[in-house]
Amino acid sequence: MRPFALNYARPAVHPPVTTPYTYESTRQLNVLPDGRPAISDRALLLATGTTASTAGSKTHFDD
């Protein structure tokens, strides 16, 4: 027997995501295309909620 909801459920389609910043390993922070730290862009922080990278989780087991 198949549950009723499975007859109508569809997989969620997520839109492609592009991050407006990149991780710069020499400075160890996320930077915008113009070279400023991503944390300095208030609108970006409000839109994304964070600019966290994976660098911390690769070096610290408790992140």
Side-chain angles (χ1 to χ4, degrees), residues 27-60:
R27 294 169 60 187
Q28 294 187 352
L29 46 94
N30 294 317
V31 294
L32 299 170
D34 63 2
R36 292 182 298 134
I39 193 76
S40 66
D41 189 342
R42 186 171 176 86
L44 173 66
L45 290 178
L46 288 172
T48 61
T50 182
T51 62
S53 69
T54 59
S57 60
K58 291 180 182 175
T59 57
H60 303 286

Side-chain angles (χ1 to χ4, degrees), residues 1-46:
M1 182 174 186
R2 185 177 169 105
F4 176 79
L6 291 180
N7 291 328
Y8 301 97
R10 296 185 184 138
V13 178
H14 301 288
V17 177
T18 57
T19 53
Y21 54 86
T22 57
Y23 180 72
E24 188 176 310
S25 61
T26 56
R27 294 169 60 187
Q28 294 187 352
L29 46 94
N30 294 317
V31 294
L32 299 170
D34 63 2
R36 292 182 298 134
I39 193 76
S40 66
D41 189 342
R42 186 171 176 86
L44 173 66
L45 290 178
L46 288 172

